[in-house]
Amino acid sequence: MSTEQPFKISVSEDKIDLLRRKLDLCVFPDELEDSGTSYGAPLADIRRLVDYWKTGFDWRAQEAALNAELPQFTRDIEVAGFETLNIHYVHQTSQAVGAIPLLFVHGWPGSFLEVRKILPLLTAVSPEHPSFHVVAMSLPGFGFSQAPSKKGFRIAQYAEVGHKLMLALGYNEYVTQGGDWGSLITRMMALQYGGKHVKAWHTNMPLGIPPPVTRPVSYLKWLVTPYTAAEKVGAQRFSLFDKQGRGYFIEQGTQPQTLGYSLADSPVGLLGWIYEKLLSWTDKYPWTDDEVLSWISIYLFSRAGPTASVRIYYETYQSGDWQHLQAQRPSIPMGISVFPAEIEIRPLSWYKTSGNLIFSNTSHTKGGHFAAWETPDVLVKDLHKMFGKGGPAFSVVPGKTGYESPQAQ
Amino acid sequence: MSTEKPFKIAVSDDQIRLLQQKLSFATFPDELENVGTNYGAPLSDIRRLASRWKEGFDWRAQETALNDELPQYTRAIDVEGFGALEIHYVHKKSEVVDAIPLLFVHGWPGSFIEVRKILPLLIQASPEHPSFHAVALGLPGYGFSQAPSKPGFKTAQYAEVGHKLMLALGYDQYVTQGGDWGNLITRKIALDYGGKHSKAWHSNYPTGLPPKLTANPLLYLKYLFTPYSEAEKALMVRHEWFSNYGKGYYTEQATQPQTLGYSLADSPVGLLAWIYEKLVFWTDNYPWEDDEVLTWVSIYYFSRAGPAASVRIYYEVQGGDADRVYTQRPSIPMGISLFPKDLKGQPKTWYETNANLVFSKYHSEGGHFAAHEVPNLLVEDLRTMFKKGGPAFGVVSGKTGY
C-alpha cells in the first residue's frame, strides 16, 4: 500500500512571522577594513541580503513558483534499524515511455531545489538525445524530508532511502546523478545495489584515491604522468580549500549540535554560514538575492530544522566512511564531469582507481560545485553524451534507452 | 599624560532589553536520542541556561559584584601601525610595597574575569610567600577593550599592548602569567621585551618543540631515553583527542571568523552554546553554576567590540605568525604548570627545547582554565617559582615580593 501523498510547500504564517521578528532584532558584527572575503562572508553582502529579506523577498511567491514547477510528493520509506522516514521528493516523468529512470541526489548546502533547472532539460523528449524520468529526493534531514532521531544514520542509510524510493516508484533499474554528499551516497548505492538495480552512475564531484602500489601498472603510470594544467589548478584549489575552507567540515564533523544552536536560532547566522559557500564554491556565479534567499529559506523552513542537515558530516567523519568508501571501486559504469571551480579536483588516474570510468569530461572551462545550478545545460549535455545513442552507457537500463516515442494520448 | 580612567562595567538597559527579546524568541534545534555530549553542547543544558538567562539570571547583580571585586580601568595604548586602542584592565596592588608586578593574560573563551579568584591570593601579604601587584589585561577585542579595526593585528601587537600597559603603570620590570592565547602572547613578550622588561614568565599552556640531535644533542638524548611519566602520557592522549576531535571551532575561527561572527553576534543562544561547550569539555569536571556560565558568556555578549571580534586572533596568527614565536627560545626564566584536563600535552623535554625552563609541575586535577578551576594550585606554583630560594626569586630588581 503506497503512502505516497502529493506535496506542496506551505510554510506556516507563524514561521514567517517569527523570521520577520528575528530579522527586526538582527545584530550584525563589525568587519575589519578592506578585508574582502578573506575573513568570511562579506558584511556588505549580508547586510544587503538581510535588508532585502526584510523588505522585498517574497517567500510566498517563491513557494508558489516551486510548487508550480516541481511536482512534489512524500512517502514513507522504512530504513533498517531506524524508524520509518517520511521522504520528500520531486518526481517528473518524461513523455517518452522508455525514458531512463534517474535519481538525482543533492548535498550540503544544497537541496532538492538543485534539480530545478535540469528537470525540464532531462525530461525533454527529442530524437537527438535521451530522455529521463527524474526523481530528486530530499535527503533525510534536509528540505521537507523527516530526519532520523537516532544516531548512526550513515551513508549506507541515505543510500538505502534513495534505493527504496526508486523501487517504490516502480523503477527496479535506474541510474543516478549526484554531487557533494550525492557523490558519496550514489557511490554507496553503486556498491550496494549496483548491477542488479543501479546500472550506471554519474557524478560531478568524483572522489578517488591514488592507484595503490598493488596495482603496479596504474601506480607507476600515476607516478610518472605529469599532472595536466587543469589537474595542477585543481590541486591548487584543493590546497586552498584545505587551508581556508575546511572549518565548516571539521565543526560539522565533530560538534554539529553546538553549531546547530546558531543555525537554528539565527537566520542571519544561517545565511552567513551557507552564503559563504555559495560564493567560494562557485565559478563567479551571479547569484541573485532571490536565489540566495530561496536556498537559505529551504534550510530555515525545513521540516527538521537546519541543525539536522549537518549531522551527516558527523556520522561520515566519525565512522571513517569518508575515506573507506572512496577506497572502493563500484563495478558498474561511472561517468564524471569535472568543473574548474569544484572544491577539489584530483588526477584522472585517481578517479579510475575508485570507479569503472566509462565517461569523463574534464575539459570544462566554466562552472563549480553546484553544477546543476550553475551550468545546467552543460551538465545535462554530458549526461546526454554518456547515455545517448553511441554513448558509453547507452541502454544500460534494459528496455529504457530514453528514445522511445511518447505514449499516445 | 596618562589617559587612565577608572572603569565600571555598566551595560545599557537597551542592551539588556535586546538580549531579553532575543531570548524570548529563541529557537532551539532538536537533538538525537541518547547522545550525551558526543555531538556537542547538550540540548537540556542549553535550554536550561537560556531559560535562566531570560529569567532568573541577574546581570546587574553580577555586574555590581565584578565592579566591587575587581578594580578596573581603561587607558589608551598606542599600537604601532594601528593607532591607539582603549584597553580595559584590572589593576590591584598588594599592600607589600615591593610586590612583584605581574601581568596576567587570558585567552578564548576567557576574559579578564579569569583573574577573579587568583587576585586576592596573588596580592596577599605573608612572610611565607611572595606577593604580586596584579594587572589583568583585557585583550583587544575582548571584554571592554577596544578592538583593532584593520587586518594584521598579530601576536606582536597583542604583546605590545601588554608590555606598554605595564610600562604605563610604572612597572618597568615585571613578570607574566598566561594560558591559552596568553601563552603565545606572553611568549612573545618574553622574546621581544625579555631581559630588559619581562624578567620571567609562567604558562599553564606551554608549547614545546621537539629537540633536534644537531641543535640540542643532550636534550635530544634525554628525549629519546627518558620514559614518559603517567601525567605526560595522559596529557598526550588528551592532545590527540583535541587535535582530532576538538578543533572544529579552531579551524573555523582561523579561516572564516567573519562567517562565524554573524551567528555569534546575532544569537545569544548560539553564542552560549559555542562557549559553554568549551567550558564543559575543557575543564576537569568543574561544577559550573548556571550563573557562572552566564556571566562568562555575558561578558562576550555585552563586550565592547562584540563577540565576532574575539575570534579574529585565530585568523591573524595563522600562516607562520604563531609558529615563528614557538620556534624561538626566550632567555628569561620560565615556569610551567600542567593540568590533566588541558588540551595540549607534549613530552616534557620538548618544553625545555624552546624555553629556559626553571620550574615545572604536573598536577592531578584541573583543566584549561586553571586560574578559575584550581586557583590555589596555580598561585601555589607561582609562589614556589618566585619565593625566597625559588628558581625565579628576585628576578625583578628591588621587588622580591616580600
Side-chain angles (χ1 to χ4, degrees), chain A residues 39 41 258 261 265-266 276 315, chain B residues 39 41 262 266-267 277 316:
Chain A
Y39 289 70
T258 295
Y261 295 100
D265 188 48
S266 169
E276 182 218 294
E315 303 298 355
Chain B
Y39 287 66
Y262 296 107
D266 188 52
S267 171
E277 184 217 283
E316 299 295 358

Side-chain angles (χ1 to χ4, degrees), chain A residues 210-221:
Chain A
V213 161
T214 48
R215 293 175 62 203
V217 174
S218 311
Y219 181 71
L220 287 170
K221 192 163 173 220

Side-chain angles (χ1 to χ4, degrees), chain A residues 226-291:
Chain A
Y227 285 179
T228 63
E231 284 172 343
K232 278 197 204 133
V233 170
Q236 274 168 8
R237 271 218 42 100
F238 180 63
S239 174
L240 196 67
F241 172 75
D242 209 31
K243 285 206 192 93
Q244 311 268 66
R246 272 202 179 285
Y248 81 104
F249 187 94
I250 309 279
E251 180 66 11
Q252 292 173 194
T254 56
Q255 316 288 356
Q257 188 69 13
T258 295
L259 172 67
Y261 295 100
S262 293
L263 300 182
D265 188 48
S266 169
V268 178
L270 177 68
L271 168 63
W273 198 257
I274 291 179
Y275 179 69
E276 182 218 294
K277 300 312 183 195
L278 300 188
L279 281 188
S280 59
W281 293 359
T282 55
D283 192 2
K284 298 186 185 55
Y285 178 76
W287 291 98
T288 64
D289 289 354
D290 276 338
E291 266 177 311

